[in-house]
């Protein structure tokens, strides 16, 4: 089963649509810093570069990229805080 916001309990949503690199990552970093361990941040973006950016962000920060989905030019990321 593919994880989505419907199958994972989302703690907070960040709408980063219309923002380009590095703003989605910077805003996600700030948002996730206010969450507790195990909480899930949903990020919605329209920047195609965010696919690679969020994969790298999660590897570097130790957070889990629980899901990454794309549809109609909108990218969704579910990030579980470590």
């Amino acid at each position: 089963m593919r994880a989505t916001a419907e199958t994972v309990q989302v703690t907070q949503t960040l709408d980063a649509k219309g923002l380009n690199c590095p703003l989605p990552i910077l805003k996600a970093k700030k948002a996730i810093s206010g969450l507790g361990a195990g909480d899930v941040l949903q990020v919605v973006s329209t920047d195609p570069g965010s696919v690679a950016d969020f994969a790298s962000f999660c590897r570097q920060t130790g957070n889990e990229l629980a899901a990454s989905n794309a549809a109609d030019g909108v990218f969704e990321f579910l990030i579980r805080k470590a």
Side-chain angles (χ1 to χ4, degrees):
M1 174 191 280
R2 195 160 113 185
T4 66
E6 289 80 33
T7 61
V8 173
Q9 184 174 351
V10 172
T11 307
Q12 183 177 341
T13 299
L14 171 65
D15 183 352
K17 291 183 287 211
L19 301 177
N20 292 318
C21 186
L23 289 176
I25 290 291
L26 294 175
K27 289 187 174 286
K29 184 177 179 181
K30 183 176 181 180
I32 208 162
S33 71
L35 299 179
D39 286 348
V40 175
L41 175 66
Q42 175 189 35
V43 181
V44 182
S45 174
T46 52
D47 178 9
S50 62
V51 174
D53 291 344
F54 278 104
S56 178
F57 171 77
C58 289
R59 277 193 308 275
Q60 291 176 3
T61 61
N63 296 306
E64 175 193 356
L65 184 58
S68 175
N69 302 302
D72 300 323
V74 177
F75 305 92
E76 175 194 44
F77 307 95
L78 299 178
I79 303 170
R80 188 178 319 278
K81 185 169 180 178

